[in-house]
Amino acid sequence: MIVLELFKVGHCWHPEAMVFRNFNMRKIKFPAYVGLIRHPTKGLVLFDTGYAKRFADVTKTFPERAYSLLTPMELSCKENLIEQLTNNGVSPSDIKYIFISHFHADHIAGLLDFADAKFICSKVAFTEIMRLGRLSGLIKGYLKKLVPIDFHKRCIFIEDLRPTGLDRKLKPFHQGFDLFSDGSLLAIKLPGHAAGHYGLYYAGSNSGTFLVGDAVWTKDAYEKSIYPNPLAYLIMDSRKAYIETLDDLAKLYGNNKQLKIIPSHCEQSFIEYSRVSKN
């Protein structure tokens, strides 16, 4: 049986108006949540890594400094992912795989802490961050210095995995990619927010859990079909694809309210999942 634990690994501050239409410009917290999946045969799998102290290091000078000014990051020692894992009896070398939803800095800042892990990501996403220059990448939210230099040697591309049809309970999503060829973990394409953006689904013991990364930022977005401020689309890969993905998640929620849909920055989803998992 697969077990999922969630960890809050720092947060940034960003104007509320970027997430919801017609809200004010006051800054609110965007927590970064990371999933630790205990697979019965493949070992420990991380879903993203959240922030790490090196985010501050690589954004000390311009133009990267603009990144930290627009989204100031805070990461306490107790929220450091390595410390949290250690407190749960897990060392960095125990992590066998890291699933990367996309390559924005708040999702990959900790990659360099896991020298033995294999990376699972979209070929489209990796190609995008590698092809962009320093400034063009920064505009898209990428910091190439956070990517290990041996990444390509340790990488498994999602598109090279076996495609599989999805259960009817996941409609309107129809296809996924089977990470370990056992049906336990399925990568599902969620385009729009960033190039090659994927979520990760596992059936679990009930109706399943769907880690959706930044396909939406809050559960209100898919429960109430709330679209972000138009300004938010400026940093996205595709406005059209983002809206279609949000609409599909809203349909999924309408079809299957028992499914746990967890966005990477939604505190309410984290609290609700943590409450249920403890019972």
Side-chain angles (χ1 to χ4, degrees):
M1 177 180 172
I2 291 178
V3 177
L4 169 69
E5 301 168 71
L6 296 178
F7 300 94
K8 177 179 179 289
V9 186
H11 64 268
C12 71
W13 296 88
H14 208 52
E16 185 178 42
M18 290 296 287
V19 180
F20 301 113
R21 293 175 184 264
N22 302 320
F23 277 63
N24 60 49
M25 292 300 292
R26 73 184 181 94
K27 290 190 174 183
I28 59 174
K29 286 183 180 181
F30 283 81
Y33 293 112
V34 170
L36 174 65
I37 298 166
R38 298 178 185 269
H39 190 280
T41 61
K42 296 297 183 177
L44 300 180
V45 183
L46 282 177
F47 179 87
D48 291 336
T49 66
Y51 281 110
K53 292 296 184 182
R54 68 177 56 84
F55 174 83
D57 296 334
V58 301
T59 57
K60 283 183 178 179
T61 59
F62 284 98
E64 290 80 9
R65 176 66 174 155
Y67 199 141
S68 60
L69 291 175
L70 289 172
T71 58
M73 182 270 293
E74 293 182 15
L75 177 66
S76 66
C77 290
K78 67 178 183 179
E79 287 184 340
N80 182 284
L81 181 57
I82 296 299
E83 181 165 332
Q84 292 192 73
L85 291 175
T86 300
N87 290 338
N88 282 269
V90 177
S91 69
S93 61
D94 292 330
I95 302 298
K96 303 303 181 185
Y97 300 90
I98 300 177
F99 182 94
I100 301 169
S101 64
H102 62 297
F103 281 84
H104 285 165
D106 54 326
H107 294 259
I108 67 162
L111 291 183
L112 287 162
D113 293 324
F114 301 94
D116 301 313
K118 293 182 179 179
F119 305 116
I120 304 174
C121 71
S122 164
K123 184 182 298 184
V124 172
F126 180 66
T127 300
E128 178 78 351
I129 189 173
M130 289 296 104
R131 78 169 182 85
L132 292 175
R134 183 179 180 186
L135 185 56
S136 58
L138 179 64
I139 292 171
K140 288 291 188 179
Y142 301 129
L143 296 172
K144 201 177 296 187
K145 290 182 180 180
L146 298 176
V147 179
I149 58 174
D150 63 344
F151 187 96
H152 64 287
K153 296 179 181 178
R154 299 157 56 193
C155 181
I156 300 168
F157 289 126
I158 293 171
E159 294 89 342
D160 293 337
L161 300 174
R162 181 171 66 87
T164 182
L166 300 177
D167 190 281
R168 291 181 60 188
K169 66 185 178 182
L170 290 172
K171 278 187 165 183
F173 298 98
H174 300 288
Q175 180 179 275
F177 291 88
D178 195 339
L179 263 61
F180 300 131
S181 299
D182 61 0
S184 62
L185 293 170
L186 303 175
I188 299 176
K189 192 175 182 180
L190 299 172
H193 175 74
H197 186 287
Y198 275 80
L200 187 62
Y201 168 82
Y202 78 94
S205 57
N206 297 310
S207 296
T209 300
F210 194 7
L211 301 171
V212 299
D214 285 6
V216 291
W217 286 311
T218 68
K219 66 178 297 183
D220 279 348
Y222 65 80
E223 287 186 354
K224 303 174 183 178
S225 293
I226 298 176
Y227 299 102
N229 189 296
L231 290 174
Y233 298 124
L234 296 175
I235 63 172
M236 293 185 185
D237 182 59
S238 168
R239 173 176 181 161
K240 181 176 181 292
Y242 181 87
I243 291 173
E244 289 175 351
T245 294
L246 192 157
D247 288 344
D248 282 346
L249 287 171
K251 292 174 186 176
L252 175 63
Y253 171 72
N255 295 336
N256 185 1
K257 287 187 169 60
Q258 299 305 309
L259 173 67
K260 293 181 282 293
I261 301 174
I262 305 178
S264 288
H265 300 297
C266 182
E267 183 175 21
Q268 186 178 357
S269 296
F270 171 76
I271 292 172
E272 291 175 0
Y273 181 83
S274 299
R275 185 186 302 127
V276 171
S277 63
K278 289 179 181 178
N279 295 333

